């Protein structure tokens, strides 16, 4: 069986609300945002910092629902700054025969990390 790695869920342009160097590690994310993107607590996430171009992986933990919290913790805290804009992505292994029907959960947020839009496809780049 061939498995392909596909984007499962994404939080687009989330803002860093806290940077906690002395925390054990991970990225705390508002649980409403986790649910909307289909990301589970302790699931591996890839974080792309729009401000500085840095990319790294960690795991998600749940922050209080409705809080808007995006807290990058532990060693990863050195890779971001308060207020940075992040893309937080989770991926899944999907059997090749199921790829055609697979749809990611894409969540777009405003500057306060409130959901503004949801989609299951990325809009094409302008020509």
């Amino acid at each position: 069986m061939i498995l392909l790695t596909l984007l499962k869920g994404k939080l687009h342009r989330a803002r860093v609300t806290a940077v906690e160097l002395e925390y054990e590690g991970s990225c705390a994310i508002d649980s409403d945002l986790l649910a909307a993107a289909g990301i589970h607590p302790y699931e591996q996430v890839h974080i792309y910092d729009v401000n500085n171009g840095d990319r790294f992986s960690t795991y998600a933990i749940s922050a209080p629902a409705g809080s808007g919290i995006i807290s990058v913790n532990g060693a990863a805290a050195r890779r971001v700054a308060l207020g940075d804009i992040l893309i937080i992505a989770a991926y899944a292994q999907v059997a090749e025969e199921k790829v055609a029907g697979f749809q990611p959960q894409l969540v777009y947020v405003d500057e306060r990390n409130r959901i503004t839009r949801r989609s299951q496809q990325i809009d094409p780049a302008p020509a």
Side-chain angles (χ1 to χ4, degrees), residues 43-89:
E43 183 174 357
Q44 183 182 50
V45 291
H46 296 259
I47 299 180
Y48 313 124
D49 189 316
V50 173
N51 294 82
N52 66 26
D54 206 358
R55 295 169 163 244
F56 57 93
S57 62
T58 186
Y59 58 94
I61 61 172
S62 184
S67 66
I69 289 174
I70 302 290
S71 180
V72 180
N73 306 320
R78 295 194 184 276
R79 315 275 298 263
V80 303
L82 193 63
D84 277 3
I85 297 170
L86 307 179
I87 296 168
I88 301 172

Side-chain angles (χ1 to χ4, degrees), residues 4 13 15 35 37 48-49 59 69 73 87 89 91 93-95 97 99 108 112 116 118 125:
L4 302 173
R13 299 185 64 85
R15 288 196 189 262
Y48 313 124
D49 189 316
Y59 58 94
I69 289 174
N73 306 320
I87 296 168
Y91 296 86
Q93 297 287 300
V94 179
E97 61 273 8
V99 167
Y108 299 83
R112 292 178 47 231
T116 59
R118 298 176 193 218

Side-chain angles (χ1 to χ4, degrees), residues 95-110:
E96 187 174 35
E97 61 273 8
K98 296 192 180 210
V99 167
F102 186 84
Q103 294 185 312
Q105 300 303 312
L106 311 175
V107 179
Y108 299 83
V109 298
D110 65 15

